[in-house]
Amino acid sequence: MHARGEPVSEKNIFVIGLDEGNLPTLREVPGAEKYRFHGLLTMEELQVGEVSVAGLLEKAQGVLDSFDGSIDAIVGYWDFPVSTLVPLLSQRYGTHSTSLESVVKCEHKYWSRLEQQKAIAEHPRFGRVDLEAADPKPPEGVRFPMWLKPALSYSSELAFGVKNEEEFRDAVAEIREGISRIGRPFEYILDQLELPPEMEGVGGQVCLAEEAITGIQVAVEGYVRNGEVKVYGTLDSINYPDSSSFLRHQYPSALPEPVVRRLRDVSERVMRQIGMDAATFSIEYFYDPQTDEINLLEINPRHSQSHAELFEYVDGVPNHHCMLSLALGEDPSLPDGAGPYTHAAKWYFRWFADGLVHSVPTQEDIDRIEREIPGVRLHMVPEEGQRLSRMPEQDSYSFELAHIFTGGDGEEDMREKYDRCIAALSRALSATAPGTEAEPTAG
């Protein structure tokens, strides 16, 4: 270990919520031989139960204060509370980060919409739902079908698409029941900020209603450095048929170049309004080819860790490189098209009903599949003996069994690799619905 103040060649990078799935990819960024990655807080501490932000800060500071070496960067690629812990800890330890306010302007869905409408017109109609009302109603001017969601949530948790008043009331009841788990600790963060008049009294336990938007879902990834917004990738997000659950993310986008340019322009304008700097972002949109309309779905104040392998397959460098470079005050630019494949995708193998997992592929099974199918990486989500409905970070309508990354020379090549993976996994994966012997399917 190096003593503080001594010149060092190695950089100590603390990753909040460092997980085994991302560690190999972090080690594949340019210059990684000079980086030492240190985990800071576990995923269980960060996401299980009701989170105490003050408690997490105290734990993290204890680790950092006792570290006998230079603290060169503090990073994270998860949503709240990780996204807000990064600027709080970076300010305390003098590392590069965007401001806490800019992060919260993205994370708080209602505040984010207020900021968006100051800079762009490409967003749906929205409003707040009064959860305290005896008979809550949709906001004035917001029409069915619509989405109800808390101001803050994990992976679409407690987000519901509703088509009528009855579904609206049922969704409100569920959101009322579960909103405090994340909303209450979020209020600790809001207390750290000087809020504008339009946010006074709103708090963290607020429900947002937005008119449903349709079309092709697309994600724009980029970063801001010295006030300059740079978009480095556009990806398509493709759902299962007749579902709001992702089937795959695909890079690069198949949208026409004029649409990609418009998405880039909207992203640049809204991120300048948010005031982010020295940080990565990922913005989700819908593009409707029938009307040629673009609508912004949500802004994430982080890059998407789930896209890291896709950029590595196509551009030769994982997008983690941008996050790490910005945190170290270095050039975050990515190469273009320097990877071994022209296309890449992350697939979500799902089951659309609850079930009990009886067996999962062993690491030997996974290693064999990856050897037999070039350009494939597998990650199993549930553990043996786990009930799917008890897994964290699932959407309201389905459960993830596996994440499958494929690189290929076109969509047909990637789909063929995905189908081969599903066939191989099915021989080692066994799960049954409660009271049945049904096997899981892809949807």
Side-chain angles (χ1 to χ4, degrees):
M1 288 291 179
H2 301 284
R4 288 182 191 256
E6 289 184 6
V8 295
S9 56
E10 285 185 331
K11 300 289 187 182
N12 291 301
I13 299 173
F14 287 83
V15 185
I16 304 176
L18 179 62
D19 59 313
E20 290 183 8
N22 277 286
L23 185 55
T25 319
L26 285 165
R27 288 175 172 157
E28 289 167 5
V29 302
E33 68 277 1
K34 299 179 298 187
Y35 301 159
R36 295 194 65 185
F37 295 106
H38 307 270
L40 187 61
L41 303 173
T42 67
M43 295 305 296
E44 185 175 10
E45 289 172 320
L46 290 161
Q47 294 186 344
V48 175
E50 185 167 318
V51 170
S52 165
V53 178
L56 290 171
L57 277 171
E58 186 178 354
K59 264 185 195 176
Q61 289 168 9
V63 173
L64 294 168
D65 288 343
S66 63
F67 181 68
D68 183 22
S70 62
I71 298 170
D72 299 295
I74 300 170
V75 299
Y77 37 72
W78 304 108
D79 293 325
F80 180 84
V82 173
S83 57
T84 52
L85 289 171
V86 169
L88 286 168
L89 291 169
S90 293
Q91 183 178 27
R92 179 180 175 94
Y93 294 95
T95 57
H96 296 274
S97 171
T98 192
S99 67
L100 177 64
E101 180 176 315
S102 67
V103 169
V104 178
K105 280 181 179 178
C106 299
E107 288 275 29
H108 194 293
K109 289 182 172 61
Y110 180 66
W111 194 0
S112 186
R113 288 297 191 205
L114 296 179
E115 289 296 309
Q116 291 165 37
Q117 67 182 4
K118 295 175 185 177
I120 63 171
E122 292 86 352
H123 59 78
R125 281 185 283 264
F126 68 94
R128 291 166 56 192
V129 176
D130 184 1
L131 294 178
E132 302 300 320
D135 185 21
K137 297 291 185 185
E140 187 175 347
V142 180
R143 301 167 300 189
F144 291 109
M146 67 180 69
W147 279 88
L148 297 187
K149 56 188 76 172
L152 186 72
S153 65
Y154 292 140
S155 301
S156 300
E157 182 180 313
L158 293 180
F160 299 95
V162 298
K163 299 186 293 292
N164 53 49
E165 293 278 358
E166 182 181 358
E167 291 183 0
F168 178 90
R169 286 192 296 270
D170 291 344
V172 166
E174 288 208 45
I175 291 171
R176 271 178 177 161
E177 184 72 23
I179 196 170
S180 65
R181 185 176 85 84
I182 303 172
R184 191 178 295 131
F186 195 31
E187 289 176 349
Y188 172 90
I189 294 295
L190 292 173
D191 289 342
Q192 314 300 310
L193 302 172
E194 188 174 334
L195 298 173
E198 63 264 33
M199 282 296 293
E200 287 182 8
V202 174
Q205 300 186 61
V206 61
C207 177
L208 183 67
E210 300 176 343
E211 283 191 8
I213 47 181
T214 59
I216 299 166
Q217 194 164 347
V218 56
V220 171
E221 288 216 12
Y223 59 81
V224 190
R225 188 188 191 203
N226 298 326
E228 183 180 348
V229 183
K230 169 69 174 177
V231 169
Y232 60 74
T234 306
L235 308 91
D236 295 329
S237 298
I238 299 158
N239 290 345
Y240 278 84
D242 302 316
S243 168
S244 61
S245 300
F246 288 133
L247 169 62
R248 71 181 184 272
H249 302 300
Q250 184 168 309
Y251 177 61
S253 171
L255 290 173
E257 182 56 32
V259 178
V260 173
R261 283 199 303 269
R262 286 167 57 201
L263 289 164
R264 185 183 303 124
D265 174 67
V266 174
S267 301
E268 290 172 355
R269 283 188 281 135
V270 78
M271 293 316 294
R272 283 195 293 269
Q273 174 64 37
I274 293 291
M276 179 174 281
D277 203 6
T280 55
F281 63 83
S282 176
I283 308 179
E284 296 175 42
Y285 292 93
F286 277 94
Y287 169 68
D288 189 335
Q290 304 299 318
T291 62
D292 199 35
E293 284 187 350
I294 289 170
N295 271 295
L296 193 155
L297 179 61
E298 66 181 22
I299 306 171
N300 300 303
R302 51 163 181 77
H303 72 292
S304 177
Q305 55 81 27
S306 67
H307 298 161
E309 284 89 350
L310 310 191
F311 284 94
E312 185 176 14
Y313 277 146
V314 176
D315 293 328
V317 175
N319 59 357
H320 288 320
H321 166 70
C322 299
M323 171 190 71
L324 296 172
S325 298
L326 289 163
L328 292 166
E330 298 171 355
D331 180 8
S333 58
L334 284 172
D336 184 20
Y341 299 101
T342 61
H343 291 73
K346 176 183 180 180
W347 305 75
Y348 295 82
F349 179 36
R350 298 179 183 270
W351 203 7
F352 286 80
D354 194 9
L356 185 66
V357 178
H358 299 295
S359 65
V360 296
T362 65
Q363 189 58 51
E364 287 182 0
D365 293 328
I366 292 171
D367 291 343
R368 185 182 66 256
I369 294 169
E370 291 180 348
R371 283 195 307 271
E372 291 174 352
I373 311 174
V376 161
R377 294 184 189 178
L378 300 178
H379 171 66
M380 300 305 302
V381 179
E383 298 176 354
E384 189 172 315
Q386 188 169 29
R387 185 165 292 282
L388 297 178
S389 58
R390 294 177 186 161
M391 295 194 303
E393 296 186 79
Q394 302 300 303
D395 67 29
S396 302
Y397 303 103
S398 68
F399 306 100
E400 298 168 8
L401 298 179
H403 299 157
I404 301 173
F405 300 90
T406 60
D409 296 320
E411 186 176 318
E412 185 176 341
D413 187 22
M414 291 192 302
R415 184 176 289 279
E416 189 265 341
K417 290 179 180 181
Y418 172 72
D419 290 341
R420 287 174 64 189
C421 284
I422 294 301
L425 285 176
S426 296
R427 291 192 287 270
L429 178 66
S430 171
T432 56
T436 75
E437 294 304 318
E439 291 294 325
T441 69

